[in-house]
């Protein structure tokens, strides 16, 4: 019997399954930055590591504030390493503009996710397990999501990061359940699905498309796939009888 749902956050709740590099790469292109995708991903990954180690992100930063800092670092690196970076771009101004636009899109996604979490909360304990920067509670509060969860495991707080299985075990401990009593829901095969399966959890891979180029090829590593939150809800709740 399933007692708990362990959700990833970034790329799962905020973008409904879209990889964050894909979201940001598209945003860069809207302002005229057409950096080679390989270089662009290296910049993205470098900034992720930088933010995970530094004190750049403050505990009270909401998502727009976090994203503005992240975009500033990304655009600054792109300007340094991409010889075709547009000379007329003001990095600070564009970071603020893009962060505002992306935050608006995330808020639209959250309006889809919020009522689904409310419905699921009637049947399961909900735990959030995320690689984040120490401000996840501030982000969730700003999006009116904090009270939907019975527990939050954040890498910057607990000192363990995905794909280590230990962070998922902490989620199980918070849910007061065994691995076979939990379903892990996430957008990343590497960070969410594979380590969760390794400790015995059932899993649902949330991805808008099965040929997600930012993930490993689809194989037997996932129990179930959901291409949208409506599909996810159908898999987790029994059909209503009239």
């Amino acid at each position: 019997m399933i007692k708990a749902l362990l959700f990833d956050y970034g790329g799962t709740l905020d973008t409904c399954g879209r990889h964050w590099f894909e979201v940001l790469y598209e945003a860069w292109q809207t302002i005229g930055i057409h950096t080679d995708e390989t270089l662009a991903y290296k910049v993205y990954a470098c900034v992720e590591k930088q933010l995970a180690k530094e004190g750049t992100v403050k505990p009270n930063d909401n998502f727009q504030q976090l994203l503005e800092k992240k975009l500033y670092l990304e655009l600054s690196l792109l300007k340094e390493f991409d010889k075709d970076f547009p000379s007329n771009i003001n990095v600070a101004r564009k970071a603020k503009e893009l962060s505002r636009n992306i935050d608006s899109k995330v808020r639209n996604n959250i309006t889809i996710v919020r009522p689904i979490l409310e419905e699921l909360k009637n049947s399961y304990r909900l735990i959030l397990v995320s690689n984040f920067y120490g401000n996840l509670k501030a982000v969730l509060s700003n999006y009116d999501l904090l009270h939907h969860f019975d527990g939050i495991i954040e890498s910057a707080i607990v000192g363990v990061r995905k794909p280590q299985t230990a962070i998922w075990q902490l989620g199980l401990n918070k849910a007061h359940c065994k691995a076979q009593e939990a379903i892990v829901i996430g957008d990343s095969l590497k960070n969410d699905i594979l380590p969760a399966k390794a400790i015995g959890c059932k899993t649902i891979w949330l991805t808008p498309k099965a040929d997600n180029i930012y993930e490993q090829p689809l194989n037997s590593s996932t129990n179930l796939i959901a291409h949208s939150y409506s599909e996810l809800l159908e898999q987790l709740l029994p059909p209503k009888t009239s």
Side-chain angles (χ1 to χ4, degrees):
M1 182 179 177
I2 302 299
K3 297 180 179 178
L5 303 179
L6 276 57
F7 279 89
D8 167 56
Y9 178 69
T12 298
L13 295 180
D14 50 8
T15 66
C16 298
R18 293 190 72 202
H19 195 287
W20 261 106
F21 171 68
E22 182 180 5
V23 174
L24 292 171
Y25 189 55
E26 286 181 2
W28 299 343
Q29 292 175 319
T30 65
I31 60 171
I33 299 173
H34 301 285
T35 303
D36 171 77
E37 193 167 346
T38 301
L39 173 59
Y41 189 83
K42 287 180 180 179
V43 166
Y44 166 82
C46 179
V47 170
E48 286 300 305
K49 291 178 182 178
Q50 187 175 346
L51 289 176
K53 294 178 181 178
E54 294 184 352
T56 305
V57 180
K58 305 304 179 185
N60 292 327
D61 282 351
N62 62 32
F63 186 67
Q64 185 178 333
Q65 292 167 325
L66 159 64
L67 192 56
E68 183 177 345
K69 293 176 179 181
K70 181 186 293 192
L71 283 162
Y72 178 81
L73 293 172
E74 289 171 343
L75 295 181
S76 296
L77 277 180
L78 287 169
K79 185 175 183 178
E80 180 178 352
F81 291 108
D82 181 2
K83 61 182 178 58
D84 296 319
F85 190 93
S87 59
N88 63 330
I89 285 182
N90 181 300
V91 168
R93 186 180 302 125
K94 288 301 180 182
K96 183 180 289 292
E97 176 188 318
L98 289 179
S99 67
R100 189 181 300 117
N101 293 341
I102 296 172
D103 177 69
S104 178
K105 292 177 181 178
V106 168
R107 288 183 184 278
N108 289 336
N109 292 335
I110 295 296
T111 62
I112 297 171
V113 171
R114 191 183 294 110
I116 290 173
L117 292 177
E118 289 171 357
E119 192 162 355
L120 291 173
K121 191 169 174 60
N122 293 326
S123 301
Y124 305 98
R125 297 185 203 118
L126 303 186
I127 306 295
L128 201 59
V129 180
S130 178
N131 282 352
F132 222 75
Y133 314 100
N135 66 320
L136 185 53
K137 287 187 177 180
V139 170
L140 294 173
S141 180
N142 187 249
Y143 287 149
D144 193 27
L145 286 179
L146 184 59
H147 66 283
H148 289 77
F149 294 96
D150 300 293
I152 295 170
I153 306 296
E154 182 180 2
S155 62
I157 303 299
V158 300
V160 183
R161 286 181 62 82
K162 303 173 187 177
Q164 293 174 278
T165 56
I167 194 169
W168 289 107
Q169 185 59 56
L170 290 174
L172 292 174
N173 296 345
K174 183 71 72 171
H176 305 291
C177 70
K178 301 175 183 177
Q180 60 267 31
E181 297 172 325
I183 297 176
V184 165
I185 300 147
D187 71 302
S188 173
L189 292 176
K190 175 187 174 183
N191 286 337
D192 305 323
I193 303 306
L194 292 174
K197 283 181 66 65
I199 61 173
C201 297
K202 291 180 168 54
T203 60
I204 299 178
W205 182 31
L206 180 68
T207 178
K209 47 192 176 183
D211 59 343
N212 190 331
I213 63 173
Y214 304 107
E215 285 295 335
Q216 304 168 29
L218 180 62
N219 54 34
S220 59
S221 65
T222 182
N223 291 49
L224 295 169
I225 299 173
H227 297 298
S228 66
Y229 266 88
S230 59
E231 281 188 22
L232 181 66
L233 194 61
E234 290 173 3
Q235 293 178 16
L236 293 173
L237 293 181
K240 295 179 180 179
T241 56
S242 54

